[in-house]
Amino acid sequence: MAKKMILVDGSKCTGCKACSAACKEWNDLPTEKTSLVKSYQSMADFTPNTYTYVTFEEKYENNNMHWLMRKAQCFHCDDPSCLKACSSSAISKTDSGFVVIDQDKCIGCGYCAQFCPFNVPKVDKTTEKANKCTGCVGRVENGLEPACVKICQPGALSFGNYDTMMGIAQARLAEVKKKFPNANLYGQNGQAGTTYRYILLDTPAAYGLPENPSTDLTLYLWKDIIRPIGKIAIGGAAAAVVVGVAINALKGNYKNDSHQDQHPIKREEEM
Ligand code: SF4
Ligand code: SF4
């Protein structure tokens, strides 16, 4: 299947949250208690049962306020840090561009969550499985658009083949820039590009996004250097202990990490 792209046009989003509701419906996810955590934002973060939500930033200029709204979900990176970090080869990328977690293979180690530059995957403590947006890959591979795209009434979400969508995105960006000079197309820099791309009305920082998301260097050190050497040198369980100690020392891990409870170091021997 040809590579796909989803364009999230921040100039058209009304913040209605229908995309989030459609995601729940299609993926059969339970509802969760919400509250206004910031402006009209009703979720603080992803959860194992919330794959997409809308962020709201209030921007004040010349005594006027306008919202910077963003539908957040997994970006479906072309070079996914989560895939590289996965300890059980449970994560794969489809030809169409979506990054999926095989629930049968996932052991809930939480390394995907730890190394995703956007903190997307969440480990369900009950099932001990990592969850995130699937890109509705089952719909896509049957000729349908993802559920969020299908529901979006103002046309803030659009879906199609990559080349076509990039043309649409560039043309739309030129229009949006006339009113929002800082507007930019987000998702081109870092992670080798992403399947979900955004027309942001302001800088990535204004939305709380990294300018150049990248895979943490410690992951390369761990997977490509320390781990192979450790296995050759001492083998088996001892290597696993060394690897675990090394990666956590390199990363300065588990000190102030809000995701601490999501990645218990377990089954290191499988890495
Ligand atoms: S459904 Fe469309 S307009 Fe509504 S919040 Fe989602 S992206 Fe924005
Ligand atoms: S956004 Fe995070 S979870 Fe999604 S593909 Fe990229 S690295 Fe993986």
Side-chain angles (χ1 to χ4, degrees):
M1 176 172 274
K3 181 173 162 54
K4 305 296 184 189
M5 175 177 143
I6 292 134
L7 179 64
V8 185
D9 185 342
S11 71
K12 292 184 177 176
C13 178
T14 61
C16 70
K17 303 171 186 170
C19 46
S20 188
C23 176
K24 290 260 184 197
E25 174 71 20
W26 178 257
N27 291 294
D28 206 15
L29 299 170
T31 55
E32 292 174 284
K33 188 169 173 53
T34 59
S35 60
L36 289 181
V37 294
K38 178 170 59 172
S39 190
Y40 282 97
Q41 183 173 327
S42 54
M43 292 293 291
D45 196 0
F46 304 103
T47 75
N49 291 311
T50 295
Y51 299 169
T52 183
Y53 66 100
V54 182
T55 65
F56 287 71
E57 302 291 339
E58 293 182 355
K59 175 143 187 183
Y60 294 86
E61 267 174 334
N62 305 322
N63 291 326
N64 288 317
M65 188 278 283
H66 69 89
W67 278 293
L68 300 175
M69 293 176 282
R70 186 178 77 86
K71 175 198 178 299
Q73 76 296 299
C74 170
F75 281 78
H76 296 274
C77 306
D78 284 349
D79 186 12
S81 312
C82 58
L83 187 156
K84 189 169 184 65
C86 180
S87 64
S88 57
S89 303
I91 301 181
S92 59
K93 187 163 172 73
T94 67
D95 291 344
S96 51
F98 295 97
V99 177
V100 291
I101 302 174
D102 183 332
Q103 295 288 302
D104 290 336
K105 290 184 180 173
C106 177
I107 59 168
C109 68
Y111 284 111
C112 56
Q114 183 179 344
F115 284 99
C116 168
F118 305 103
N119 292 322
V120 170
K122 300 296 175 198
V123 176
D124 186 316
K125 288 176 181 163
T126 306
T127 62
E128 297 193 326
K129 304 287 181 186
N131 291 350
K132 70 168 193 68
C133 164
T134 65
C136 288
V137 72
R139 289 176 59 92
V140 169
E141 292 185 351
N142 283 286
L144 300 171
E145 64 272 76
C148 56
V149 178
K150 176 77 175 172
I151 203 74
C152 181
Q153 295 303 304
L157 304 176
S158 50
F159 166 82
N161 286 344
Y162 174 81
D163 291 342
T164 307
M165 291 306 300
M166 276 301 286
I168 292 170
Q170 297 290 5
R172 181 66 193 153
L173 178 62
E175 272 304 304
V176 172
K177 266 184 164 297
K178 291 175 187 169
K179 187 171 177 192
F180 299 97
N182 289 340
N184 60 95
L185 185 57
Y186 187 77
Q188 302 185 99
N189 300 330
Q191 304 296 95
T194 56
T195 298
Y196 270 82
R197 296 196 182 189
Y198 289 82
I199 290 179
L200 300 181
L201 304 184
D202 207 329
T203 61
Y207 287 81
L209 289 167
E211 295 276 347
N212 287 297
S214 62
T215 298
D216 196 304
L217 180 62
T218 56
L219 183 55
Y220 290 106
L221 289 173
W222 167 42
K223 275 239 160 169
D224 299 338
I225 301 174
I226 296 173
R227 178 184 171 214
I229 290 173
K231 282 191 172 175
I232 291 168
I234 55 179
V241 172
V242 171
V243 167
V245 170
I247 187 60
N248 288 304
L250 282 166
K251 199 168 169 61
N253 218 356
Y254 311 117
K255 285 185 293 196
N256 58 355
D257 187 346
S258 63
H259 297 73
Q260 181 170 353
D261 60 352
Q262 293 184 1
H263 24 79
I265 303 297
K266 64 177 187 177
R267 297 189 64 177
E268 288 271 356
E269 67 274 12
E270 299 195 11
M271 305 191 69

